Amino acid sequence: MKPQVLLIGGTDSSCGAGITADFEVISELGGDCLSCVTSVTAQNNHSFLKSHAIPASMIEEQLNSFQEQKIDAVKIGMLPTSESVEVVVEFIQKFSLQNIVIDPVFRSSSEGVLSSESAIEAVQKKLLRLCSLVTPNLSEAIHLTGLNYCHFDDFPKFANQFFLMGSNAVLIKGGHLDDQNCKDFFATLDGNSVTFEHKRVRGGTAIRGTGCRLASAIVYHLARSVEMESAIELGVNFLQEYIQRKLVQVN
Ligand code: PLP
C-alpha cells in the first residue's frame, strides 16, 4: 500500500509553491495525497496579487472528510488565520496524528503576506509542540524565535529557542546565507544535531517553492516509516536534484 500524506496548505495559482507543489512531490515519489486547502492565492513568479482565506468552518469540513482515511504523515504549509490554526490543532489532537512536518511560511518570495500575526502566534503557542519537525528558513527562524542572528554558527541558538517553544525537532535551512556551500542545521530536543551540507547550485535561490518541496519530500519518507534523520537526508538530496533539473529546463 502506498504511504498516504495529508497536505494542509494554500494554493498558488502559478503552481510554483503551495499545495500543488506538495502534491507534485508526493506523487513523483510514489505516495498518495489527501488535501485540505486553507487559502487560495493569486500569484506568479514576480508578484503576489491577492489571497483569500478559506473560512475555518470549511477547513474543518475538509478535515472531517478524512475520518475514515489512513493518514501516515501530515505536511502543514500556509495557515492564514488563527482560526485556521485552531481547527488544525483540534484535528491533530482528536486523531492523535503522527509524523507532522510544519513548514512555517508567512511570506511569499514576492513579499505577499501568507499568515496574519495572530496566526503566527497561534502556531508558536499551540501547533509547534504537536509537530514532529519544523522547517524554517533564516527569516522564518528570526520571526518565530524573536532572535536576530544571521550566521550559521548561531543556528543552535535558534534551535534552543524552538525547543523552549515546545518543538520536538527543527531543521533550520541556511540556503539564503552568504556561504559558499548550503548548510541546513537539524537538531532534536533530546540533544542530537546534524549539519547537512551540499554544494550551492548557482541560480538555485531564484527557484520558487523549494521550502514546500523539501518539507514534502521529508514527509513522504516519514510516511513510509523512515526515521527522521534519514528522511531529512533523502529530502535534501531530492531537493538538490529538483533544483538542478529545474535550472536545466529554465536555461
Ligand atoms: N504561496 C503559497 C501558497 C505557499 O504555500 C508558499 C510556500 O509554502 C509560498 C507562496 C512561498 O513560496 P515562495 O517563497 O517560493 O514564493
Side-chain angles (χ1 to χ4, degrees), residues 9-13 16-19 22 39-41 43-45 48 75-78 103-112 114 137 140 206-213:
T11 66
D12 162 359
S13 52
I19 208 161
D22 299 332
S39 182
V40 174
T41 74
Q43 54 177 314
N44 55 41
N45 290 347
F48 191 93
K75 192 244 159 179
I76 303 174
M78 177 178 180
D103 183 28
V105 287
F106 309 136
R107 290 230 187 296
S108 67
S109 313
S110 50
E111 289 300 306
L114 302 177
N137 60 24
E140 290 154 356
I207 294 173
R208 297 199 40 234
T210 51
C212 304
R213 285 184 164 81

Side-chain angles (χ1 to χ4, degrees), residues 88-244:
V88 168
V89 164
E90 273 171 35
F91 179 73
I92 290 171
Q93 286 175 326
K94 187 167 168 195
F95 294 98
S96 305
L97 297 177
Q98 306 289 320
N99 296 328
I100 303 164
V101 177
I102 179 166
D103 183 28
V105 287
F106 309 136
R107 290 230 187 296
S108 67
S109 313
S110 50
E111 289 300 306
V113 175
L114 302 177
S115 292
S116 67
E117 278 304 318
S118 61
I120 296 170
E121 203 177 311
V123 166
Q124 288 167 316
K125 293 197 172 142
K126 299 178 183 167
L127 187 53
L128 283 181
R129 65 191 61 249
L130 300 178
C131 296
S132 324
L133 178 70
V134 56
T135 62
N137 60 24
L138 178 62
S139 59
E140 290 154 356
I142 291 172
H143 200 115
L144 279 168
T145 61
L147 302 174
N148 204 355
Y149 297 117
C150 57
H151 294 291
F152 184 79
D153 293 347
D154 294 314
F155 279 17
K157 296 177 192 154
F158 283 127
N160 287 338
Q161 192 61 28
F162 274 101
F163 298 142
L164 290 175
M165 291 192 290
S167 290
N168 297 295
V170 56
L171 178 70
I172 305 167
K173 298 171 288 188
H176 291 97
L177 290 174
D178 217 5
D179 292 343
Q180 230 178 2
N181 281 349
C182 283
K183 285 191 262 180
D184 300 326
F185 180 74
F186 169 60
T188 62
L189 182 58
D190 55 19
N192 270 346
S193 68
V194 182
T195 297
F196 295 95
E197 185 165 357
H198 41 91
K199 257 199 148 32
R200 183 174 290 283
V201 183
R202 283 186 55 190
T205 48
I207 294 173
R208 297 199 40 234
T210 51
C212 304
R213 285 184 164 81
L214 172 60
S216 293
I218 295 170
V219 150
Y220 166 77
H221 291 294
L222 292 178
R224 57 181 202 94
S225 303
V226 173
E227 59 86 29
M228 180 72 78
E229 192 181 314
S230 306
I232 293 175
E233 190 170 10
L234 290 166
V236 168
N237 292 342
F238 171 87
L239 187 67
Q240 281 293 101
E241 280 168 28
Y242 172 80
I243 291 173
Q244 274 155 356

